[in-house]
Amino acid sequence: SVQSQSTFKGFTAEYLVVGGGGGGGSGEVNNRGGGGGAGGFVNSFAAENSGGGDDTAPKSFIELGKNYLVAVGAGGSGSNLGRGGSGGGDSQLQPVVSIGGGLGAGRHQSGTTGGSGGGVSNGTGSPGTTNQGFTGGGSNAQSCGGGGGSATETPTAGSSGNGGDGGDGATSVITGSSTVYAGGGGGPGDSSVGSGGTGGATDASSGTSTSNATANRGSGAGYPYNGQAGSGGSGIVIVRYPAQFNITVGGSLTSSTATSGNSKITSFTAGSDNVSWSA
């Protein structure tokens, strides 16, 4: 009961922690790059699963007056003609950490591991993190695999000139609304381009235009046929807790708090700082 939780100077909270999505990979002109991997997806709300096929994560006991570090991972940058680019940043609700998504590989290059792994060309996709996300899609040299997602075990591999689709994201209703997070970015090909997985991920493009994955969904970015790849979407941290407790948020975090019945729901959308609760 809430009374017994108060006796122990704390309470049980439910949370969703999603890492930032990985940037899309790109190659030189007419060379393909893989889709960015989704950020890790760790979910303790109700009976919803976490990413990578894991069960619901354990709930957190919050001690009143204690500082907890909260960090929201930024989306990774896309590579430009095979140069640069990055995976997504990690998100955290201390001690829970969701790993940022992997960078999609340039042609004949390795992508990076992450919450979900980045897609590659001419090889096997990069691994995801156990209990957070899945491996990125592989392909042959004429196409590229999509980035790994949090809910799809095997993203579509690129083949016969067709870019692979990104892996699908996972759904949570912790805020009261059903939202899909952490989808993988699409990979390009000669004949057709791949779609982003559900959850705010970015499709590949057959031209040179770029687009970025949706903010605060933790999804991977796709890759245009030539040019600058898109950036992954930033992550998010959401905490749901009994409404009689009050939260103090450090000034370097961007957040909002809503009340739903007997619960408060605080969503952190950017930054890194300490938070604490009081009665």
Side-chain angles (χ1 to χ4, degrees):
S1 69
V2 170
Q3 182 176 3
S4 64
Q5 292 169 345
S6 298
T7 301
F8 289 100
K9 298 183 180 179
F11 57 88
T12 299
E14 297 170 298
Y15 57 84
L16 173 64
V17 183
V18 183
S26 65
E28 302 293 343
V29 175
N30 294 322
N31 291 339
R32 270 64 62 191
F41 180 91
V42 182
N43 187 12
S44 77
F45 180 66
E48 297 174 351
N49 290 340
S50 288
D54 192 29
D55 296 331
T56 309
K59 297 175 176 58
S60 285
F61 181 77
I62 301 296
E63 182 179 343
L64 297 182
K66 179 179 177 179
N67 283 333
Y68 293 87
L69 177 64
V70 172
V72 179
S77 60
S79 62
N80 185 13
L81 299 179
R83 303 174 186 86
S86 63
D90 299 346
S91 292
Q92 180 173 3
L93 171 63
Q94 186 181 7
V96 178
V97 178
S98 286
I99 306 300
L103 172 68
R107 188 179 182 187
H108 301 309
Q109 298 173 333
S110 298
T112 64
T113 61
S116 289
V120 303
S121 77
N122 199 30
T124 301
S126 301
T129 299
T130 302
N131 301 332
Q132 295 196 16
F134 288 108
T135 298
S139 71
N140 61 36
Q142 298 303 314
S143 59
C144 267
S150 56
T152 301
E153 185 168 0
T154 307
T156 305
S159 63
S160 302
N162 300 312
D165 297 337
D168 287 336
T171 301
S172 179
V173 294
I174 190 171
T175 63
S177 299
S178 180
T179 305
V180 187
Y181 303 89
D190 292 328
S191 302
S192 68
V193 296
S195 298
T198 58
T202 307
D203 292 354
S205 168
S206 58
T208 59
S209 61
T210 64
S211 59
N212 300 324
T214 304
N216 298 128
R217 297 285 186 88
S219 296
Y223 160 70
Y225 190 74
N226 297 317
Q228 172 73 48
S231 296
S234 54
I236 194 167
V237 175
I238 302 171
V239 190
R240 188 176 181 121
Y241 52 96
Q244 69 266 38
F245 297 102
N246 299 308
I247 190 170
T248 299
V249 179
S252 297
L253 282 162
T254 301
S255 69
S256 61
T257 299
T259 300
S260 176
N262 295 324
S263 297
K264 286 179 180 175
I265 304 158
T266 300
S267 299
F268 301 94
T269 54
S272 176
D273 210 330
N274 287 324
V275 303
S276 62
W277 282 266
S278 60

